[in-house]
Amino acid sequence: MKTQTLIPLAAAAGLALGSGLASAQQQGVSKDEIRIGTIQDLSGPLAGFGKQARNGMQLAVDELNEQGSVQGRKLKLFVEDSGYDPKKAVLAAQKLVNQEKIFIMAGHIGTAQNMAAMPVQFEKNIVNFFPITAAREMYEPLNRLKYSFAATYYDQIRMALPKMIKDKGAKKVCTIYQDDEFGLEVQRGAEAGLKAAGMELAEKTSFKRGATDFSSQVAKMKAANCDLVVLGTIIRETIGTVGEARKTGFNPTFLGSSAAYTDLIHKLGGKPMDGVYATMTVQNPYTDEQSQPLRFWANKYKTKFNEDPTVFSVYGYMIVQSFVQAANKAGPNLTTDSFIKAMDSSTFEPDMFGSPKMTFSATKRLGNDQSRLSQIVDGKWKVVSDYLAP
């Protein structure tokens, strides 16, 4: 019996000693390495986005490691797959936080997925840095461990919709949205935009995440004679909704959020996608882009990954670049506290991708609240407005 009690006591003493050492050493930061974690959808409905974001992050990590380092430390990227499932996102976060011992979670994709994973990170004092979702919950309520870069879906639609109503002379506005936190944010933005325009929704309809048939939703909007439809949709739901509408001779103006701003819409959806509008911040980096730096970057990406880059490749790349700017500013003693202090006095200037200027403070954790409109014209996204500020 005595030996049985001695073993747990010895183990407890070892754990106490270990935790004392751990608190002296910042998790995820060693003399020569900084560990960055990211959770992407690599196998679910957003796998197209997730793989591109991961590639963009990897390109930035490789470039920065070749060019030198961050205060003498190389970057190491750890990637986990959520399959766009919040439950899997929790498991992925647990692995990254507890096994891989990451310093920071960067560019995690998906609203519901971030919401599920954040408590795992926050318990270990790990910052949720620039998640790839434009939901308000990424910076509200105020939390020292939250930083967001994307103008919210809510503000994007709230600002763009009155302009679209006026430009198109729209009389009846409908919404179709994914029945989750993402879709509801688009839906709320549409209601706020309509209120500002002195109008109300003519019809609203939703679908479950992962749905593939939108015929009943399109029929409902067609029956309501909608002439402008706000899309709380992502890739295949955008293509499915617009494609079904065109097939049935229903041709309203379609307005999506930045979640629908991807080259996959016109590449997979083809000619029927012409005319679709979406709000966006950074522009899709086509390899024949007019700007020489952007064209050079796009071709470098294509050489490395054997595919064209997309706006999600840009997000991934920009997120790592921004992290490094703040990590360098934090100085050689990189900790969660020193990183937060650096971020809270940081400004990020506009880049070659067309991003607006971003600023952060202890009370301002959304870097930018502006977006602009783009439209698919002859199978390519074309920017059609300046930034719309709230």
Side-chain angles (χ1 to χ4, degrees):
M1 287 294 290
K2 279 187 177 174
T3 52
Q4 283 180 323
T5 53
L6 280 170
I7 291 166
L9 283 170
L15 283 171
L17 180 64
S19 64
L21 290 169
S23 62
Q25 172 67 44
Q26 170 67 52
Q27 172 166 316
V29 179
S30 66
K31 184 169 63 73
D32 48 19
E33 185 178 85
I34 301 171
R35 296 182 159 222
I36 302 171
T38 188
I39 302 172
Q40 299 297 337
D41 178 2
L42 303 177
S43 60
L46 297 194
F49 289 175
K51 288 170 184 172
Q52 294 158 357
R54 176 201 61 196
N55 289 351
M57 292 180 84
Q58 193 62 59
L59 179 61
V61 164
D62 292 348
E63 273 185 10
L64 289 155
N65 285 343
E66 282 165 19
Q67 291 162 8
S69 57
V70 182
Q71 303 287 346
R73 301 178 177 106
K74 301 288 188 188
L75 303 174
K76 189 166 183 185
L77 183 65
F78 293 84
V79 185
E80 287 295 318
D81 177 21
S82 71
Y84 201 54
D85 178 340
K87 292 190 191 74
K88 287 184 183 171
V90 171
L91 297 174
Q94 287 169 342
K95 184 180 177 189
L96 290 169
V97 168
N98 299 321
Q99 291 177 39
E100 308 294 4
K101 303 287 187 190
I102 59 168
F103 169 67
I104 199 161
M105 183 75 79
H108 180 181
I109 199 165
T111 303
Q113 294 69 26
N114 270 274
M115 299 286 286
M118 279 193 281
V120 176
Q121 299 160 222
F122 293 171
E123 191 184 337
K124 292 290 178 76
N125 200 33
I126 291 173
V127 169
N128 199 51
F129 186 74
F130 289 14
I132 302 180
T133 159
R136 285 178 287 177
E137 291 90 346
M138 298 307 108
Y139 65 95
E140 289 179 349
L142 185 67
N143 184 311
R144 67 190 290 274
L145 298 173
K146 287 182 181 180
Y147 290 97
S148 189
F149 75 97
T152 64
Y153 301 123
Y154 176 83
D155 278 338
Q156 289 174 31
I157 300 300
R158 180 175 71 85
M159 295 307 301
L161 188 51
K163 175 179 168 53
M164 292 293 292
I165 290 167
K166 188 178 172 195
D167 290 355
K168 300 293 180 182
K171 300 285 186 285
K172 290 191 171 183
V173 179
C174 294
T175 60
I176 175 170
Y177 62 96
Q178 188 163 285
D179 185 12
D180 65 1
E181 290 92 336
F182 155 68
L184 285 166
E185 275 295 270
V186 173
Q187 165 69 12
R188 291 175 194 127
E191 287 176 339
L194 281 166
K195 193 175 178 184
M199 293 170 71
E200 287 184 0
L201 277 173
E203 186 62 81
K204 65 178 179 179
T205 182
S206 65
F207 57 89
K208 296 290 179 199
R209 191 164 55 223
T212 53
D213 179 14
F214 306 95
S215 52
S216 63
Q217 289 91 339
V218 167
K220 198 173 174 186
M221 294 187 291
K222 186 179 181 183
N225 292 318
C226 303
D227 50 12
L228 197 160
V229 172
V230 176
L231 301 166
T233 55
I234 309 182
I235 311 173
R236 65 185 181 198
E237 308 86 9
T238 304
I239 295 165
T241 299
V242 176
E244 175 69 22
R246 304 279 197 233
K247 213 161 52 183
T248 62
F250 175 47
N251 287 302
T253 299
F254 286 104
L255 170 65
S257 72
S258 59
Y261 179 74
T262 162
D263 67 327
L264 293 173
I265 301 297
H266 54 73
K267 279 181 176 168
L268 300 176
K271 193 68 182 163
M273 300 304 117
D274 270 6
V276 170
Y277 288 87
T279 48
M280 43 72 79
T281 49
V282 303
Q283 63 198 73
N284 192 85
Y286 295 109
T287 47
D288 59 353
E289 178 55 48
Q290 300 303 309
S291 142
Q292 197 276 331
L294 192 50
R295 193 168 66 245
F296 177 83
W297 181 88
N299 283 291
K300 182 177 183 179
Y301 179 101
K302 186 169 186 175
T303 301
K304 186 175 180 72
F305 299 110
N306 201 29
E307 62 182 35
D308 287 344
T310 69
V311 69
F312 283 81
S313 316
V314 173
Y315 290 151
Y317 185 84
M318 180 271 292
I319 286 163
V320 172
Q321 293 278 353
S322 302
F323 165 71
V324 166
Q325 180 181 319
N328 268 319
K329 188 177 177 183
N333 183 28
L334 179 61
T335 64
T336 297
D337 288 349
S338 70
F339 181 80
I340 288 170
K341 191 177 175 191
M343 274 299 296
D344 287 351
S345 58
S346 282
T347 296
F348 298 84
E349 295 298 334
D351 56 25
M352 64 178 167
F353 305 108
S355 310
K357 185 175 180 175
M358 294 192 292
T359 57
F360 294 89
S361 75
T363 54
K364 181 178 181 287
R365 293 309 183 82
L366 174 65
N368 155 59
D369 58 6
Q370 298 181 314
S371 60
R372 12 177 212 177
L373 281 164
S374 201
Q375 184 184 26
I376 299 176
V377 179
D378 296 329
K380 277 177 88 170
W381 287 105
K382 305 265 192 241
V383 178
V384 293
S385 85
D386 290 329
Y387 280 104
L388 307 165

